[in-house]
Amino acid sequence: MPPASPSKAPPVRVDLLSDTLTKPTDAMRKAMADAPVGDDVFGEDPTVRELEQRVARMFGHEDGLFTPSGSMANQLGIRLHVKPGEELIADSLAHVLRAEMGAAAVLSNISARSWIAPHGELNAAQPLALMIPDGGAYQVNTRLVVVENTHNFGGGTVQPLDQIEALRAGTKERGVAMHLDGARIWNAHVATGVPFETYGRLFDTVSVCLSKGLGAPVGSVLLGSADHMQEARIWRKRFGGGMRQVGILAAAGLHALDHHVERLADDHARARRFAEAAAVARPDSVDPQWVQTNIVLLDVAGAGWTPGDFVTAAAARGIRLYPVSTTAVRLVWHLDVDDAATDLAISELVPLLERGSR
Ligand SMILES: *Cc1c(COP(=O)(O)O)cnc(C)c1O
């Protein structure tokens, strides 16, 4: 076989593929180099413990557990609440159902059902109608509802606090647990001003990611009760996630919490500015009302594009995007996309929308 021919696409000038692309800043690397470390499997890494306890306090939980990925944090959280043969429910676009490779089924023998949530937005009545906590010996017992905030494949949607509260009231009454997939809860907090603790206290367990918009190279934290975290620590080791001197990674997370949370507002403003320019050119491509944080879902079908062809045309202009559905592409703003890069994305992509695919 001849080697694959090198890509003809020009260099990437603006990378809007994902907020996971961010690289550690020089200051973050310095903090990592300086971090005290120990063997975290023995619970002896002081920087890891500092991160776990700090995030737990922020969200009003007893303890935390550092994990190598958001998927592992979510899957540990799910595992704590649901036994083999029982179920979780989540909306049909949820990351835990769509982007964790069937982990709940494969690793924990858990089944799932879902409801359809436009833009991924939570309407508490839907999961409350779907859940069957008292299925007995005939129907699968629902043990957990997973809520994603902000909602990735929904387009960075912020979940309405009153709906989370209504869901909490309804699940509490019927003995169903709630897990927050808070990979981007930072963005929800910055967009709404709702305190982390207000979000945290509405859930039995919470997962947060340090490696998305916060710009750390690795790391998530699972939060919950001390008992739950002790149990999750055993399962983390069993899943192969016991790590050693990872204070160097936890230090990146601590640095991100100190320096990269409030700046998310810049990402939100830039995403909104792009959406407004796109909506002027083609009102059917995006409703800026639904661009609440750092993600834009751009519907390119109305302009006659398939998402794949639009991604290729954008790549030829040095802009990298992700084809997220059969009609839309996804653009994600982050630490490494500034105002000038946003202007460039507007000047290169809006004409593609205006002229259509011909
Ligand atoms: C990124 C992400 C995760 C975690 O993904 P990993 O790649 O496993 O770190 C979880 N939930 C949501 C909503 C995400 O966007």
Side-chain angles (χ1 to χ4, degrees), residues 90-100 146-148 151 153 181:
D91 80 270
S92 71
L93 295 174
H95 193 278
V96 295
L97 298 184
R98 277 189 80 187
E100 298 182 10
V146 178
V147 175
E148 187 172 315
H151 201 297
F153 297 120
D181 178 352

Side-chain angles (χ1 to χ4, degrees), residues 69-71 74 95 100 148 152 181 183-184 209 212:
S69 71
S71 295
N74 279 336
H95 193 278
E100 298 182 10
E148 187 172 315
N152 180 349
D181 178 352
R184 294 188 183 77
C209 281
K212 300 274 167 79

Side-chain angles (χ1 to χ4, degrees), residues 73-270:
N74 279 336
Q75 293 303 323
L76 290 172
I78 288 167
R79 169 109 226 168
L80 295 172
H81 304 296
V82 194
K83 291 208 275 293
E86 297 178 335
E87 74 176 4
L88 69 84
I89 61 173
D91 80 270
S92 71
L93 295 174
H95 193 278
V96 295
L97 298 184
R98 277 189 80 187
E100 298 182 10
M101 304 297 144
V106 174
L107 302 177
S108 301
N109 300 303
I110 289 167
S111 67
R113 285 183 302 142
S114 54
W115 67 94
I116 295 193
H119 303 279
E121 190 181 52
L122 178 65
N123 169 358
Q126 292 182 292
L128 289 174
L130 193 63
M131 66 192 205
I132 306 172
D134 44 6
Y138 179 57
Q139 289 188 303
V140 177
N141 289 286
T142 311
R143 296 296 180 221
L144 178 70
V145 186
V146 178
V147 175
E148 187 172 315
N149 193 14
T150 67
H151 201 297
N152 180 349
F153 297 120
T157 308
V158 176
Q159 301 301 359
L161 187 60
D162 64 340
Q163 294 303 307
I164 304 175
E165 287 167 345
L167 183 59
R168 176 78 280 185
T171 54
K172 191 168 252 170
E173 194 179 308
R174 298 173 66 190
V176 173
M178 278 171 59
H179 173 76
L180 171 61
D181 178 352
R184 294 188 183 77
I185 193 67
W186 325 106
N187 298 81
H189 161 75
V190 167
T192 60
V194 172
F196 293 120
E197 192 172 337
T198 303
Y199 285 129
R201 288 194 185 281
L202 289 163
F203 293 87
D204 299 282
T205 48
V206 174
S207 70
V208 301
C209 281
L210 302 161
S211 68
K212 300 274 167 79
L214 292 201
V218 177
S220 287
V221 184
L222 177 70
L223 309 171
S225 70
D227 284 351
H228 269 153
M229 292 307 98
Q230 213 174 345
E231 193 183 341
R233 200 169 282 278
I234 293 166
W235 278 102
R236 183 185 67 173
K237 183 78 157 57
R238 207 169 265 147
F239 282 171
M243 301 177 288
R244 303 296 182 183
Q245 289 74 23
V246 282
I248 53 171
L249 300 179
L254 288 165
H255 178 86
L257 291 176
D258 286 334
H259 300 285
H260 294 169
V261 176
E262 297 309 322
R263 65 149 305 285
L264 293 172
D266 298 341
D267 298 341
H268 299 178
R270 289 169 184 141

